[in-house]
Amino acid sequence: MEEGEGSNGGVFEGGLEVRVLVVDDSPVERRMVEGLLKKSGAMFQVIAVDSGKRAMEVLGLTDDKAEHPTVDEQSCRKPIPVIIMSSENEPHRISRCRAIGAEDFILKPLQTNDVLRLRSYARPTELSPRTGTKRKMTLELMAENSSSDRRPRLTGLAVS
Amino acid sequence: MSLMALREQLNGLVNSMFLEGLLDDQFEQLQMLQDESSPGFIAELITLFCGDSERILAELTKLLDQAVVDYQKVDAFVHQLKGSSSSVGAQHVKLACVQFRQFCEEHNKEGCLRALNVVKHEYYLLRGKFDTMLQLEQRIQAYESKQQI
């Protein structure tokens, strides 16, 4: 599943790095999720933001062309799996999130086994033409109510 | 006090907090995340939690002081506090928030004011114990870093 690319150092499993964008308005929860991710694997690189708006900026998906995306454009064109986190186990809302494209739903508070599950979402893309570089993938963990607009615009993130 | 005695005191404190229900299983997640690469994780989360909680409690006090209460805003803040207390294992605070949200839903100002007092009471009780916990942690870590020299 994880193809090695002979990356320098071999610290990460098969040279695969998974970048996770954590979106949550609570600083406590952001730090908690970051701690859980880092503990569960050296492969996880965490960027944490406090709103959906900020997430779009980081991904370079805003309308404003002047924004400098933090994530490189190449990886942005690949589909980014979105996983929703919420403290409320509401089936209707959960299925609505899935219907508009969320991969999965995790009930808060997050625990180690929840985070281990995330590794399965970091799927490699088709053959990367570049050799000798670490392949990066982005995963987005989004708290269900972290933007003022209650409906996450997930279709905007499924960019191929 | 010896290192062992300090550790015993800390364990005793944490255990009593579990027994009293001030902390729940989720706090064990925090303990598990503290290791050699993250020696101050518990202190960091607790400090974040306390700062954030006090900010929220101040906002709630202001909002409920208004003649006309914006229950949506109140609910949003209580929801946030419920979430963060849940994440760190602050069980009594979390439960008090659950009660609070009921009164929000009912647009019951009296109920909300009472609930806010309960949340404050639970929070400050917890905060006192967290302060002791952090002091003990600091002293233990000071000992441990000395031993490494």
Side-chain angles (χ1 to χ4, degrees):
Chain A
M1 210 22 149
E2 282 146 345
E3 300 163 45
E5 278 208 312
S7 64
N8 23 309
V11 175
F12 306 115
E13 292 170 28
L16 203 69
E17 257 177 35
V18 181
R19 277 175 309 175
V20 184
L21 177 62
V22 178
V23 189
D24 197 306
D25 56 8
S26 165
V28 176
E29 301 198 63
R30 284 197 299 273
R31 186 67 188 95
M32 192 65 193
V33 174
E34 186 186 344
L36 282 166
L37 284 165
K38 288 187 167 164
K39 180 83 178 184
S40 81
M43 72 193 80
F44 286 123
Q45 271 192 349
V46 182
I47 304 165
V49 296
D50 66 4
S51 68
K53 178 170 181 263
R54 185 75 194 110
M56 300 296 262
E57 285 169 19
V58 164
L59 293 168
L61 295 171
T62 54
D63 290 331
D64 187 354
K65 303 277 190 271
E67 293 289 348
H68 293 295
T70 309
V71 167
D72 68 86
E73 270 196 53
Q74 179 83 30
S75 40
C76 258
R77 294 199 197 99
K78 299 168 191 166
I80 300 169
V82 177
I83 290 114
I84 303 281
M85 315 183 279
S86 177
S87 56
E88 284 158 352
N89 198 352
E90 220 195 273
H92 176 70
R93 213 189 284 160
I94 295 168
S95 48
R96 208 177 71 199
C97 286
R98 286 199 204 239
I100 55 175
E103 286 288 337
D104 201 353
F105 173 87
I106 302 178
L107 194 64
K108 285 174 165 181
L110 257 70
Q111 298 186 338
T112 348
N113 45 336
D114 295 316
V115 169
L116 290 174
R117 219 164 94 201
L118 289 176
R119 290 158 110 164
S120 65
Y121 291 109
R123 4 168 232 266
T125 52
E126 303 303 305
L127 292 168
S128 166
R130 289 196 258 162
T131 53
T133 56
K134 288 199 192 113
R135 278 191 298 137
K136 296 179 182 184
M137 276 173 305
T138 314
L139 201 69
E140 184 162 349
L141 260 186
M142 195 157 155
E144 197 255 335
N145 61 344
S146 64
S147 53
S148 52
D149 177 358
R150 291 215 149 228
R151 262 174 238 167
R153 284 190 217 92
L154 291 168
T155 47
L157 293 170
V159 183
S160 45
Chain B
M1 210 186 273
S2 72
L3 181 57
M4 191 165 77
L6 281 172
R7 282 203 184 118
E8 268 172 23
Q9 228 192 337
L10 179 59
N11 288 338
L13 173 63
V14 176
N15 284 335
S16 72
M17 289 169 82
F18 276 121
L19 277 169
E20 289 167 44
L22 281 156
L23 294 175
D24 63 25
D25 288 352
Q26 186 63 19
F27 189 76
E28 283 169 18
Q29 293 288 314
L30 261 86
Q31 289 175 310
M32 190 259 320
L33 291 176
Q34 180 153 299
D35 58 21
E36 319 77 48
S37 62
S38 250
F41 191 77
I42 293 176
E44 197 188 335
L45 257 290
I46 286 177
T47 308
L48 261 175
F49 171 71
C50 290
D52 196 48
S53 300
E54 286 170 39
R55 172 190 66 89
I56 291 172
L57 290 173
E59 293 287 347
L60 285 170
T61 308
K62 255 196 292 187
L63 285 167
L64 286 171
D65 204 26
Q66 307 296 310
V68 180
V69 175
D70 186 340
Y71 288 101
Q72 212 181 7
K73 281 197 183 143
V74 173
D75 187 70
F77 277 117
V78 180
H79 178 78
Q80 247 210 349
L81 184 57
K82 183 189 137 217
S84 56
S85 55
S86 169
S87 286
V88 305
Q91 184 168 236
H92 282 181
V93 175
K94 178 188 78 176
L95 291 172
C97 288
V98 173
Q99 296 297 315
F100 197 151
R101 291 190 82 196
Q102 274 296 112
F103 291 118
C104 277
E105 246 174 83
E106 296 162 14
H107 288 208
N108 180 344
K109 187 171 182 178
E110 265 311 302
C112 282
L113 285 165
R114 274 185 282 126
L116 176 59
N117 279 339
V118 174
V119 175
K120 282 179 177 173
H121 171 81
E122 292 298 342
Y123 167 73
Y124 283 107
L125 188 68
L126 180 64
R127 158 87 201 258
K129 303 213 172 194
F130 272 159
D131 282 346
T132 310
M133 198 192 286
L134 292 194
Q135 278 169 39
L136 287 167
E137 285 260 350
Q138 265 183 341
R139 289 169 71 186
I140 289 168
Q141 286 185 7
Y143 247 109
E144 285 173 347
S145 50
K146 260 195 236 159
Q147 284 187 343
Q148 276 158 20
I149 295 168

